[in-house]
Amino acid sequence: MSTNEAEPPVRWLTADEEHVWRAYLRMVTAVRARTAQDLAAHGLSEPDYEVLSTLSERADGTSTLREQAAKMGWSRSRLSRHATRMEARGLIRRAPDPADGRGCFLVLTDTGRDTLHDAAPSHVASVRQHFVDRLGPEELSALGRIAEKIAAAP
């Protein structure tokens, strides 16, 4: 006699659902590849740009590693490794966090701010070219609502 409970039946995707799913994957891959290529012309990766841009949103250009990792949806260890590479390039620096002996602050350097300043106009143009301008206002609004709904799901 088995003690395993019966698993619920698989709800396979319909042909239309599979088509939409695959189109979504191709869209995300294409947009990210195109915008990443445009950022690479400035010597930045997408994660580099996100770290720099989110740090620049703060008046003092500083965030804890913990807060930054949460904002990016990354683990602290992944961000720490990435921050090490950015620090070696002079884009950010680390500072001790007196409130968390194991944590640190990520601080935007002048080099990082200048790099972001140089890259931002072409990055925005890239996002427009490969994403925003390809959609009408209603499509963009609907996609925004859909993205927020899916991102908010547990």
Side-chain angles (χ1 to χ4, degrees), residues 83-142:
T84 297
R85 293 187 294 275
M86 291 182 74
E87 192 172 23
R89 292 162 45 212
L91 300 171
I92 63 171
R93 66 178 175 80
R94 294 179 203 234
D97 180 355
D100 180 358
R102 297 185 326 160
C104 68
F105 287 107
L106 300 180
V107 182
L108 184 61
T109 64
D110 289 341
T111 299
R113 192 174 304 278
D114 292 345
T115 301
L116 178 64
H117 185 265
D118 291 344
S122 65
H123 179 61
V124 170
S126 178
V127 171
R128 283 200 162 284
Q129 176 187 0
H130 302 300
F131 182 71
V132 174
D133 291 346
R134 293 177 181 252
L135 302 172
E138 299 83 20
E139 292 170 316
L140 198 58
S141 178

Side-chain angles (χ1 to χ4, degrees), residues 68-83:
Q68 189 71 25
K71 189 167 193 172
M72 293 178 68
W74 283 18
S75 69
R76 285 175 42 186
S77 63
R78 179 180 180 192
L79 179 56
S80 181
R81 288 189 302 275
H82 190 80

Side-chain angles (χ1 to χ4, degrees), residues 33-44 122-123 125-127 129-130:
R34 291 169 187 155
T35 57
Q37 183 177 21
D38 292 340
L39 274 175
H42 295 277
L44 296 173
S122 65
H123 179 61
S126 178
V127 171
Q129 176 187 0
H130 302 300

Side-chain angles (χ1 to χ4, degrees), residues 21-80:
W21 171 245
R22 290 182 185 274
Y24 163 78
L25 292 175
R26 285 190 299 276
M27 174 194 71
V28 169
T29 299
V31 170
R32 291 189 76 189
R34 291 169 187 155
T35 57
Q37 183 177 21
D38 292 340
L39 274 175
H42 295 277
L44 296 173
S45 66
E46 287 179 311
D48 290 341
Y49 189 86
E50 185 167 356
V51 170
L52 295 176
S53 65
T54 56
L55 287 176
S56 77
E57 292 168 359
R58 295 182 169 240
D60 62 356
T62 301
S63 175
T64 66
L65 186 118
R66 177 182 304 237
E67 291 168 335
Q68 189 71 25
K71 189 167 193 172
M72 293 178 68
W74 283 18
S75 69
R76 285 175 42 186
S77 63
R78 179 180 180 192
L79 179 56
S80 181

